[in-house]
Amino acid sequence: MDGQTLVSRMKRLGEVKSIKEVTQLSSAIFPGPHCPLMGAMMAVRGIKDSIMLVIGTDECTYYTKNTTISNAAFGGIDGRCLSVVLDQHDVTFGCKEKLDAAFQELMEEYRPRAVFLVTTCVVEVIGDDVDSMAEQLQEKYGIHIMPVHTEHFKTENHLPGVRDTITACFDMMKKQPVTDRVNVIGQRMGDFTTTELYRMLCQSGISLGMKLPSGTTVSEIEQAPGAKVNIVVNPIGLPLAQKMQKAFGTPYVLFDKYIDPDRIYGLYQELFSCLERPVPQEVQTLYQRAKQAVTEARSRLEGITYIYGNTPIDCFEYNAFMVKLGMRPLLIQTNDLPPEGDPNRQAILDRWDPYVTKTANIAPLQYVYDVLRPNLYLGHEYATRLRKKGIEIVHGDIMSPMLGLEVTLAGVSELIRASDAARQLREERKAI
């Protein structure tokens, strides 16, 4: 591949209006996106007394079972991930007869409190009405049965599978008296109880209810409308939170993994207002520390160039934050694109107009590095390969388990470390 040719095929952020207009660097994608079936696995894994029943061809069911066998949360080979394997007859005449027989066997052996009927691409293509089948099975057996559709041809990655699985949990919920607790919706990485946000809630006497999909039970899902507030820690949790607000009046706060201290402090104020509690004094102290860290970082980060790959932080919020620090984005990889007029997008475009391309394709990027010559790479890459080209990697995964102003403090510290290392790399290369 030729780096100049690849760069010439890219569009700049200011030229694109939707993700469909963003080009990918090659047809062969490495490491490539996962399908929504994986997302459904990730979600059901965290619901302890439920069963995942995958309906599909032997390829899809083998992939699911093989993936979950080694996962302790699923219970190994005899665990909570089961399959209905379709053959040519089922594809031609429908899967209802086989599903009914499999479900009877499932109930006799496992006696679960909830079952997720997860359809794969073939089921969706042939048009089997699994939603109606789920209703009939629920009426017959008297347990929660939720259909989840995971056809890959409609999606870019696995996240819709997580979103749709946790949204399906709405059908398990029942009206409850409201108490001083919160639900945490959408956490994909880390343990919420290790976060700064959890510590602030504990200081205010607020307990945890449902934690979906990071570890919960069917009973906690049923009682989730009794929470005072839903804390949505990733946009995949928004559809469920919005349905709960409409049905039960439960307010929600989108407290995503942000890095701008002003935004985080504003979310703390919004959250504790909903909880009818004062913002803890420790939050005030951390906010001042974070603001000071940002002020001191500007002189050390001014003019640093970078390629953005993939991090735990919200993509455009993080890039807007770095631009405000005086850093220059050369290329942003993304799975989604905020609309024109979005404050973060506009904050970037007010100063720079970087190239944009789709994520999950690090292989052809090695040909781009010599053309763009960034100081930093943010995301998953081979650090040794980058350093040979005078590029330092920013280790964003340190922020994966964090929520709150701790993200700012850790993130700024890592940007400074990486920028100092990048300068040293450049000096060493000049000396050779």
Side-chain angles (χ1 to χ4, degrees):
M1 289 187 182
D2 175 72
Q4 289 285 3
T5 302
L6 285 175
V7 171
S8 69
R9 285 165 43 191
M10 296 183 205
K11 294 181 180 178
R12 297 211 177 251
L13 179 60
E15 298 176 311
V16 295
K17 295 182 179 180
S18 72
I19 193 65
K20 292 181 179 179
E21 298 176 32
V22 177
T23 56
Q24 59 189 42
L25 298 184
S26 67
S27 298
I29 300 177
F30 173 77
H34 293 288
C35 79
L37 180 56
M38 180 181 179
M41 280 190 286
M42 294 171 65
V44 179
R45 176 183 61 188
I47 305 171
K48 298 171 186 175
D49 44 359
S50 67
I51 291 285
M52 177 181 186
L53 185 60
V54 182
I55 309 169
T57 60
D58 49 5
E59 292 93 347
C60 291
T61 54
Y62 171 80
Y63 159 74
T64 316
K65 192 64 177 179
N66 185 59
T67 304
T68 57
I69 280 175
S70 59
N71 193 306
F74 273 105
I77 193 167
D78 295 320
R80 299 188 293 113
C81 179
L82 308 176
S83 305
V84 177
V85 183
L86 305 185
D87 56 25
Q88 290 181 341
H89 178 275
D90 305 315
V91 172
T92 304
F93 296 101
C95 69
K96 185 179 187 307
E97 183 177 343
K98 181 169 282 188
L99 176 60
D100 287 343
F103 211 92
Q104 181 176 345
E105 184 179 343
L106 180 158
M107 291 300 297
E108 291 171 355
E109 185 170 348
Y110 289 88
R111 300 185 181 279
R113 295 198 59 194
V115 177
F116 292 86
L117 296 184
V118 181
T119 66
T120 54
C121 292
V122 168
V123 182
E124 298 300 323
V125 169
I126 65 178
D128 267 358
D129 190 356
V130 176
D131 289 27
S132 294
M133 296 179 205
E135 290 179 8
Q136 293 169 12
L137 290 169
Q138 181 164 292
E139 184 176 345
K140 180 178 180 179
Y141 292 103
I143 65 169
H144 302 294
I145 302 174
M146 289 74 57
V148 179
H149 306 276
T150 63
E151 62 274 36
H152 196 188
F153 52 83
K154 290 184 180 179
T155 66
E156 294 281 344
N157 53 53
H158 67 289
L159 294 181
V162 186
R163 179 199 64 205
D164 295 346
T165 304
I166 64 178
T167 303
C169 292
F170 174 81
D171 293 336
M172 291 192 253
M173 296 179 182
K174 305 171 184 177
K175 185 74 174 177
Q176 306 284 327
V178 176
T179 61
D180 282 336
R181 69 178 191 269
V182 297
N183 298 318
V184 178
I185 306 176
Q187 185 165 6
R188 298 167 43 231
M189 297 172 286
D191 180 353
F192 184 77
T193 61
T194 68
T195 65
E196 169 195 299
L197 176 55
Y198 174 71
R199 191 171 73 251
M200 299 303 107
L201 292 169
C202 288
Q203 289 181 14
S204 300
I206 304 298
S207 61
L208 290 184
M210 175 185 72
K211 300 181 292 298
L212 187 66
S214 55
T216 192
T217 65
V218 171
S219 291
E220 288 174 339
I221 295 172
E222 291 173 341
Q223 297 166 16
K228 204 162 191 176
V229 183
N230 283 326
I231 304 177
V232 180
V233 296
N234 187 286
I236 60 172
L238 281 175
L240 175 59
Q242 289 163 349
K243 292 186 78 168
M244 291 181 66
Q245 184 180 54
K246 184 176 181 181
F248 307 114
T250 311
Y252 69 86
V253 176
L254 178 58
F255 205 122
D256 201 351
K257 205 177 294 292
Y258 299 121
I259 193 168
D260 188 302
D262 292 328
R263 183 164 193 170
I264 297 168
Y265 184 66
L267 291 173
Y268 267 123
Q269 291 178 309
E270 181 183 354
L271 173 59
F272 280 91
S273 174
C274 291
L275 291 170
E276 301 176 294
R277 295 279 204 284
V279 176
Q281 180 58 46
E282 186 178 349
V283 171
Q284 313 274 358
T285 303
L286 289 169
Y287 176 55
Q288 295 305 321
R289 279 182 56 198
K291 292 280 285 182
Q292 182 66 27
V294 169
T295 299
E296 294 173 357
R298 284 194 174 94
S299 62
R300 299 176 67 176
L301 298 176
E302 182 75 37
I304 293 292
T305 60
Y306 67 89
I307 289 177
Y308 180 89
N310 184 40
T311 76
I313 312 299
D314 178 275
C315 172
F316 281 86
E317 194 263 351
Y318 194 8
N319 278 277
F321 175 74
M322 288 187 286
V323 165
K324 290 175 185 176
L325 289 176
M327 300 174 69
R328 180 183 177 185
L330 304 178
L331 168 63
I332 296 175
Q333 300 173 72
T334 181
N335 282 323
D336 199 7
L337 199 67
E340 292 181 282
D342 174 82
N344 290 322
R345 176 174 175 164
Q346 195 56 50
I348 297 167
L349 289 173
D350 283 345
R351 302 189 186 187
W352 307 106
D353 193 5
Y355 291 107
V356 285
T357 188
K358 293 183 180 179
T359 56
N361 203 2
I362 64 172
L365 274 176
Q366 60 188 298
Y367 302 99
V368 173
Y369 298 145
D370 289 330
V371 178
L372 298 184
R373 295 174 55 81
N375 300 120
L376 305 179
Y377 183 93
L378 288 84
H380 296 139
E381 239 285 23
Y382 300 104
T384 303
R385 180 166 73 187
L386 289 173
R387 290 190 179 112
K388 287 180 180 178
K389 295 181 177 292
I391 305 168
E392 179 65 21
I393 192 166
V394 176
H395 297 291
D397 284 350
I398 61 173
M399 297 175 281
S400 290
M402 299 178 180
L403 279 169
L405 292 156
E406 59 183 348
V407 177
T408 308
L409 294 168
V412 168
S413 177
E414 174 59 12
L415 286 174
I416 291 172
R417 181 210 64 78
S419 298
D420 289 346
R423 290 189 183 95
Q424 184 176 346
L425 280 173
R426 293 294 169 95
E427 292 301 318
E428 291 173 353
R429 286 168 65 87
K430 287 179 183 177
I432 296 175

